[in-house]
Amino acid sequence: QKEVEQNSGPLSVPEGAIASLNCTYSDRVSQSFFWYRQYSGKSPELIMSIYSNGDKEDGRFTAQLNKASQYVSLLIRDSQPSDSATYLCAVNSGSYNTDKLIFGTGTRLQVFP
Amino acid sequence: DAMVIQNPRYQVTQFGKPVTLSCSQTLNHNVMYWYQQKSSQAPKLLFHYYDKDFNNEADTPDNFQSRRPNTSFCFLDIRSPGLGDAAMYLCATSGTTGTGQETQYFGPGTRLLVL
């Protein structure tokens, strides 16, 4: 059973701090990794995608991937109250010709003023 | 500019009364997905289409069916909704290059309530 594990939280950080969200996955052949943000009652919205080991930065967001450790993380710098949401880690299942994602249950982030 | 559209946004049905949820996309993506998401849980893939090729997940109940009459539209039919089927139903699309790197784009979801 392919799995994606996340700490459910809540992760509480003060406004302006760095929020660090972590995810581990079980399928060694996974090649693509995604972070989605989901506000309460809304659908998931893509924040970052990462395919290679190392860091990928986009504005206040940095995704980090370590395939050897089967670990992917999301850093949010200068956290804002509007970042308060559930962050879903998703991993490509590795299926040829179809792009199926396996989602974690999400980490709830709370940014307090 | 909505790219993945779901209708209705909220659906109330009675126990056992068939219901159809719809999804349309303007992205011309060849893969479409239906997920079920319950509170505080991960989205659960029900099935997906690669073009017209239907792929059912092994644990998707027979009560759930789907149709994709053309590239733009996909429907989720729940033949006899039970109380346990109350959830958010998410439609997503992706293009595919066979590399596994395609991003999935989600519609706004349909929240289903079963009375």
Side-chain angles (χ1 to χ4, degrees):
Chain A
Q1 179 77 10
K2 300 173 184 176
E3 293 182 345
V4 176
E5 301 284 345
Q6 295 181 256
N7 187 321
S8 62
L11 172 66
S12 293
V13 301
E15 184 174 358
I18 296 175
S20 177
L21 306 164
N22 304 313
C23 172
T24 59
Y25 60 95
S26 63
D27 188 358
R28 288 189 171 274
V29 302
S30 297
Q31 295 296 318
S32 308
F33 308 86
F34 304 89
W35 284 99
Y36 285 83
R37 177 176 63 197
Q38 188 172 28
Y39 292 112
S40 180
K42 304 296 185 182
S43 65
E45 173 193 9
L46 181 73
I47 298 297
M48 292 283 288
S49 59
I50 187 167
Y51 310 111
S52 304
N53 279 328
D55 295 0
K56 179 182 177 183
E57 186 174 319
D58 184 1
R60 294 186 297 114
F61 299 98
T62 299
Q64 300 174 317
L65 175 61
N66 184 326
K67 290 184 180 180
S69 300
Q70 295 176 235
Y71 177 92
V72 59
S73 65
L74 179 69
L75 300 178
I76 306 174
R77 290 181 299 281
D78 189 22
S79 295
Q80 302 296 310
S82 59
D83 295 326
S84 299
T86 295
Y87 289 80
L88 299 169
C89 174
V91 175
N92 178 265
S93 70
S95 303
Y96 172 72
N97 221 24
T98 56
D99 295 278
K100 293 171 60 173
L101 294 180
I102 301 171
F103 284 86
T105 55
T107 297
R108 190 156 63 93
L109 173 66
Q110 294 178 336
V111 181
F112 55 92
Chain B
D1 294 340
M3 296 184 290
V4 184
I5 302 163
Q6 290 188 244
N7 285 302
R9 297 291 306 279
Y10 300 91
Q11 176 73 57
V12 181
T13 190
Q14 292 179 331
F15 182 94
K17 185 175 181 180
V19 65
T20 294
L21 310 181
S22 73
C23 177
S24 63
Q25 54 129 340
T26 59
L27 296 165
N28 204 33
H29 282 165
N30 52 352
V31 190
M32 294 187 77
Y33 309 80
W34 279 106
Y35 290 89
Q36 178 194 66
Q37 188 180 26
K38 297 185 177 180
S39 180
S40 301
Q41 295 184 18
K44 177 183 181 299
L45 183 63
L46 297 174
F47 21 63
H48 69 283
Y49 283 89
Y50 179 81
D51 291 325
K52 289 211 165 197
D53 183 20
F54 176 72
N55 299 272
N56 198 34
E57 293 301 298
D59 57 353
T60 298
D62 292 340
N63 196 28
F64 292 87
Q65 303 287 319
S66 184
R67 297 168 282 137
R68 188 180 186 185
N70 54 52
T71 299
S72 300
F73 285 87
C74 195
F75 300 96
L76 170 62
D77 301 308
I78 308 177
R79 294 192 296 186
S80 181
L83 298 179
D85 296 327
M88 174 79 89
Y89 289 88
L90 298 164
C91 175
T93 74
S94 73
T96 185
T97 59
T99 64
Q101 293 191 358
E102 291 294 330
T103 301
Q104 289 190 20
Y105 296 94
F106 284 85
T110 294
R111 184 165 294 282
L112 177 68
L113 180 61
V114 181
L115 301 178

